[in-house]
Amino acid sequence: MPKFFIKTYGCQMNERDSEQVAHSLLARGYERVMHETEADVVLLNTCSVRDMADQKALGKMGMLSRMAKERPHVVFGFLGCMAQARGETLLKNLPHVDLVVGTQKFHRVADYVDELVAKKATRPAGTSDPGYRRMDDLGFSIVDVAEETGSQSTIRGQELLPRQATAFVSIMQGCNMHCTFCIVPQTRGAERSRSIDEIVREVRDLVSRGVKEVTLLGQIVNLYGRHEFPKIDKKSPFVQLLEAVHAIDGLERLRFTSPHPIGFRDDLIDAISQLSKLVEHVHLPLQSGSNRILKAMHRAYTAEKYVDLVERIRRAHEGVAITTDIIVGFPGETEDDYKQTRDLVEEIQFDNAFVFRYSPRRDTPAAEMPEQIDERVKEERNQDLLRIVNESMRRAGERLVGRMVEVLCEGPSKTNPARLMGRTRTNKIVVFEGEDELAGELVDVRIEQANGFSLYGTRF
């Protein structure tokens, strides 16, 4: 059977989508390989949130053109957000591309790959030119970026590695928030949610196969089901889902990402304090500390309300880690606007933050706004804010030195395979010595050293 290689760019939802595609191909007898040179099918699952992600995927596919000429039987495809946004235009400058599949059609990739593999196997002699398939009667290239009703319910099935203890579970697709900087509503469509019963069945299956920690995924995960399902006993559909998943025997930890600040109501704050499997970590995107910029971003909250929310979350669960996303250099961001963001980051003392330079995305309102910020200024603000974040992250790590923490071991450390690594309930990476058999197990580790990005400890 053919061998396939899939490379993923972007977020955890993209990772989950890639695993769905891999699962469907493996179920048909395809073999997964770790390098494109070994593959008969090469798929790039793309991201469009930032221009750099677009360029990386395009550059990678461009470099594969030589391989396409040398091995004309190989199928090349773009999947995901960039595929959704650009569609058949991707074929113009990359004629060796055979497949372009959007964000609502991951469940159809295996069918399309089967079709393309078969067609290439029957290609007439003397037609190795990659451009041939776009001119013949066989119609070699396949482009499918159409919407599909019920696509959210096709997100199921994933392969697990031996002793894999963590898994992502997509609970919804799309976003209705329309932040002015964001292309996601265009690439992933309007909000659509899976049923609670369907999600619980998937989590229960994962737990039966050894998974101990599940992360629920959604673009605005805490607004899950708001258009499809009713509140019950004053609890939102998302809190109902948290309670249903929490009740699954054998599940040890429950996470969710990424929420929106406006989705944190009293019922969710109560769940954070009451559900023991819900870990002490909340990723809470801020984006800016300036109310003027937040309004221009269409974020629907103020810096003051954000700070109040952080305080409520910290009161609900002692020791909770708060992480965030921040954009610097949004159109019209003045030095004073940036200073407000900087001051707020200093005040909150995040455990970690992902800081991004604003990147204009085609057909988003922010891309057309006046007062676009110079790249040099963006970079200066980015580096300045990272210094502050790194300091608060270092202090958060140092507070754990000498303490015993629960770590879910994920296997050998990527930077030092002689040691193991895992994550605390607050999502901090811990490196420690131990036997490979500990992969997938919960272990107690005493923290001996913190270097800012990782913790080092001794198992007890």
Side-chain angles (χ1 to χ4, degrees):
M1 289 297 293
K3 300 175 181 179
F4 75 94
F5 167 82
I6 184 165
K7 182 176 178 62
T8 308
Y9 299 86
C11 66
Q12 292 152 322
M13 279 173 278
N14 285 21
E15 295 283 355
R16 177 63 188 90
D17 292 334
S18 291
E19 287 308 307
Q20 179 188 348
V21 171
H23 175 77
S24 63
L25 290 170
L26 289 165
R28 298 191 185 201
Y30 287 72
E31 178 185 347
R32 189 171 190 170
V33 294
M34 295 298 106
H35 197 274
E36 64 266 21
T37 57
E38 306 170 37
D40 306 295
V41 178
V42 178
L43 303 172
L44 305 184
N45 191 9
T46 61
C47 173
S48 277
V49 171
R50 302 179 69 223
D51 183 62
M52 185 180 295
D54 270 17
Q55 297 308 315
K56 282 184 178 180
L58 290 168
K60 178 70 172 179
M61 188 62 81
M63 292 191 324
L64 292 171
S65 62
R66 181 174 179 178
M67 178 177 165
K69 292 177 181 178
E70 295 172 348
R71 303 175 62 199
H73 74 282
V74 176
V75 171
F76 295 91
F78 278 122
L79 314 178
C81 290
M82 188 180 74
Q84 184 73 42
R86 300 197 180 204
E88 63 183 12
T89 63
L90 289 167
L91 304 178
K92 293 180 180 178
N93 296 321
L94 297 164
H96 62 285
V97 172
D98 306 284
L99 181 63
V100 179
V101 176
T103 56
Q104 299 186 32
K105 298 298 181 77
F106 288 107
H107 58 292
R108 301 200 181 276
V109 171
D111 289 336
Y112 294 147
V113 167
D114 276 350
E115 182 180 342
L116 288 162
V117 167
K119 283 182 176 179
K120 285 203 165 188
T122 59
R123 176 184 297 209
T127 56
S128 60
D129 176 10
Y132 168 84
R133 61 185 169 280
R134 295 181 55 209
M135 297 181 286
D136 70 359
D137 295 329
L138 296 176
F140 270 88
S141 294
I142 296 174
V143 177
D144 189 353
V145 294
E147 293 183 5
E148 181 165 334
T149 302
S151 63
Q152 71 275 17
S153 295
T154 67
I155 313 169
R156 55 180 182 268
Q158 55 183 298
E159 296 298 313
L160 298 178
L161 297 172
R163 307 184 72 85
Q164 182 177 331
T166 64
F168 296 122
V169 174
S170 291
I171 67 172
M172 62 190 296
Q173 289 181 333
C175 180
N176 290 2
M177 299 308 295
H178 295 284
C179 300
T180 56
F181 56 80
C182 187
I183 198 172
V184 167
Q186 298 173 45
T187 60
R188 290 194 174 262
E191 295 169 30
R192 290 118 36 227
S193 299
R194 303 169 67 190
S195 71
I196 290 178
D197 288 345
E198 186 181 324
I199 296 164
V200 167
R201 280 196 299 272
E202 181 176 347
V203 176
R204 188 175 286 123
D205 173 67
L206 291 168
V207 170
S208 73
R209 295 156 62 193
V211 168
K212 291 185 171 63
E213 175 185 295
V214 161
T215 302
L216 305 180
L217 295 179
Q219 206 68 46
I220 42 173
V221 68
N222 55 336
L223 295 177
Y224 159 87
R226 61 175 172 162
H227 300 301
E228 296 100 330
F229 313 125
K231 286 187 175 182
I232 298 177
D233 296 330
K234 298 183 179 180
K235 294 178 181 178
S236 67
F238 182 62
V239 171
Q240 296 170 45
L241 173 63
L242 289 177
E243 292 179 341
V245 173
H246 183 273
I248 295 173
D249 289 338
L251 181 69
E252 299 284 350
R253 292 180 176 182
L254 178 58
R255 301 182 186 274
F256 60 84
T257 198
S258 283
H260 194 291
I262 70 166
F264 275 84
R265 308 297 185 192
D266 289 343
D267 61 336
L268 181 51
I269 300 292
D270 290 342
I272 290 171
S273 67
Q274 296 171 12
L275 298 181
S276 60
K277 295 179 184 179
L278 198 57
V279 298
E280 297 82 49
H281 172 225
V282 174
H283 186 72
L284 190 65
L286 167 65
Q287 308 303 3
S288 177
S290 161
N291 289 337
R292 190 178 72 84
I293 296 299
L294 286 171
K295 184 176 181 180
M297 289 177 166
H298 195 220
R299 288 296 288 177
Y301 54 84
T302 63
E304 292 77 15
K305 288 183 178 179
Y306 184 93
V307 171
D308 178 67
L309 175 56
V310 169
E311 292 173 351
R312 290 172 63 206
I313 292 171
R314 285 175 168 165
R315 287 196 299 268
H317 207 308
E318 184 180 358
V320 66
I322 308 288
T323 58
T324 196
D325 297 329
I326 302 169
I327 296 172
V328 295
F330 187 81
E333 183 186 67
T334 64
E335 284 296 331
D336 183 61
D337 291 320
Y338 171 67
K339 184 178 184 301
Q340 291 176 51
T341 298
R342 192 182 195 277
D343 290 346
L344 191 146
V345 171
E346 287 268 29
E347 175 186 353
I348 291 177
Q349 290 290 296
F350 292 104
D351 287 65
N352 197 2
F354 299 99
V355 183
F356 303 97
R357 290 167 293 172
Y358 168 72
S359 176
R361 309 313 293 136
R362 185 178 56 185
D363 299 327
T364 59
E368 304 302 321
M369 289 180 179
E371 299 181 81
Q372 297 287 326
I373 306 299
D374 183 80
E375 290 298 324
R376 179 186 56 80
V377 174
K378 292 181 189 178
E379 180 62 17
E380 288 174 354
R381 293 174 182 175
N382 183 67
Q383 293 303 319
D384 180 56
L385 201 58
L386 280 175
R387 283 191 289 272
I388 296 171
V389 169
N390 289 341
E391 275 299 301
S392 64
M393 183 168 59
R394 180 186 59 79
R395 286 190 287 269
E398 288 179 347
R399 285 194 291 271
L400 293 176
V401 173
R403 293 179 54 184
M404 195 77 73
V405 296
E406 178 192 88
V407 175
L408 180 55
C409 181
E410 297 180 16
S413 167
K414 293 179 180 178
T415 57
N416 184 357
R419 293 186 175 184
L420 300 175
M421 66 78 60
R423 293 178 188 270
T424 67
R425 289 174 62 93
T426 55
N427 206 39
K428 292 177 173 59
I429 295 173
V430 179
V431 178
F432 59 99
E433 292 184 357
E435 305 78 26
D436 289 346
E437 290 72 22
L438 289 175
E441 299 298 325
L442 289 164
V443 295
D444 290 326
V445 176
R446 178 185 173 88
I447 303 302
E448 310 287 355
Q449 181 184 351
N451 74 353
F453 296 98
S454 297
L455 304 171
Y456 298 87
T458 303
R459 181 173 64 90
F460 279 77

